[in-house]
Amino acid sequence: METVHGYLLDNNIISILARPRDTRYPEISANFQAIHQGPVFLPVIAIAEIEFGMMLSGASNEEQKRALRHFFAQYPHHLPIDDNTIEPYAMLRAQLWREYGTQKRRRYKEKVPETLVERVSGKSLGIDERDLLIASIAVQYTLILATNDQNVGMKRIEAAAQTLAAAGEPVDLRIEYWPKRA
């Protein structure tokens, strides 16, 4: 069994943990308490997304803002994108483009992951650039990504990582979808 070096919390998990009134809080909190002994890290991207949401809403609940900022302070290991994030990010993104990009001569038509579509159905893959970056940070630091995001986009990122790992590439993306189901 592989050694767990810690957990990287996605923005949706952070938001739920900072809001005890959220209906998902009991299950997510139980998952969080189960890993509480291990190191917990927050991606700067997730913190920025949450701060953006609070700024955008303007009339947001001050109590909720304080709770979120308290959570950020409680877990001060904030991981940014840096030079060592580049390789896992580039590998994951290239794999997604190989699988879903529309080749146009030696380039691809799509410029950002949000525009990638399923080739047969033409439906959006739902891949979010921020999710790709957060997953890359998890790979970089060999952390387990704890997320509540079970959309198709996150599953595509996970599948791309599995394809790379099966080909012998150094991409070990481990994701736990919370709440865990028994």
Side-chain angles (χ1 to χ4, degrees), residues 32-102:
F32 184 65
Q33 293 307 315
I35 61 107
H36 197 59
Q37 299 302 328
V40 173
F41 301 87
L42 308 180
V44 170
I45 297 166
I47 295 169
E49 281 186 88
I50 292 167
E51 286 286 344
F52 167 71
M54 289 190 297
M55 296 292 171
L56 190 62
S57 66
S60 194
N61 181 331
E62 287 302 317
E63 182 182 327
Q64 186 176 349
K65 285 181 185 178
R66 277 192 301 281
L68 281 162
R69 290 186 178 132
H70 176 72
F71 190 88
F72 300 156
Q74 237 181 325
Y75 298 94
H77 300 294
H78 301 167
L79 300 177
I81 297 169
D82 62 26
D83 290 348
N84 295 314
T85 316
I86 295 168
E87 184 178 22
Y89 170 80
M91 293 176 79
L92 285 167
R93 188 170 173 160
Q95 182 62 35
L96 289 165
W97 256 255
R98 281 191 292 273
E99 291 180 27
Y100 302 107
T102 307

Side-chain angles (χ1 to χ4, degrees), residues 10-11 45 49 113-114 127-135:
D10 201 356
N11 64 319
I45 297 166
E49 281 186 88
E114 289 83 356
I127 297 172
D128 184 275
E129 184 80 51
R130 294 171 306 257
D131 289 341
L132 186 54
L133 287 163
I134 290 169

